[in-house]
Amino acid sequence: MSESRRRWPRQVYDHGSDPDPRFSLANERTFLAWARTGLALLAGAAALDALDLPLHHVVQSLLAALLALAGMLTAGSAWWNWARTERAMREDAALPGNPAMVVVVAAAGVVGLVLGIASITRALT
């Protein structure tokens, strides 16, 4: 059995040839950074759900759910993007983009906007 047959995931390692190890390790570090971002979003969701904030409980729960969903999508896309990038490097193809950035920015923007408006409203009353 060849070495590529023993490596997992096969849909990545059964294609092309090994790229420079520095590039594979950089891709792995990027994967880990996105995984940490997903965990941070999940931690933010748990904190938002646990705190007693001056928000209607439905709004607070929806914001926590938004952060939790963004965290799950970010963590899942970390794996998907790692595999796509590794395979592209192995096939000497163009590197794919990363749509997860939009999820993180949109979730953080919505939650930040709502919490900012709530803070301003609270300060003015």
Side-chain angles (χ1 to χ4, degrees):
M1 182 182 290
S2 72
E3 183 176 331
S4 67
R5 296 277 182 217
R6 288 181 273 162
R7 293 170 73 185
W8 184 85
R10 288 187 179 153
Q11 72 267 19
V12 171
Y13 292 116
D14 280 356
H15 297 271
S17 60
D18 287 342
D20 185 322
R22 294 173 294 177
F23 302 135
S24 288
L25 293 172
N27 188 31
E28 185 177 322
R29 286 189 300 273
T30 302
F31 161 74
L32 293 171
W34 278 105
R36 283 190 305 270
T37 300
L39 287 171
L41 288 166
L42 291 172
L48 190 56
D49 189 53
L51 294 174
D52 186 22
L53 298 175
L55 292 171
H56 191 277
H57 71 279
V58 172
V59 172
Q60 189 167 340
S61 294
L62 287 173
L63 290 177
L66 174 65
L67 283 181
L69 179 61
M72 290 184 300
L73 289 173
T74 301
S77 72
W79 174 263
W80 185 61
N81 285 319
W82 169 83
R84 289 176 41 214
T85 301
E86 190 69 25
R87 186 167 170 174
M89 289 189 302
R90 294 181 67 78
E91 295 176 343
D92 200 25
L95 297 179
N98 186 353
M101 290 184 260
V102 174
V103 173
V104 173
V105 170
V110 168
V111 171
L113 181 65
V114 172
L115 292 177
I117 290 171
S119 295
I120 291 169
T121 303
R122 183 175 173 210
L124 294 176
T125 58

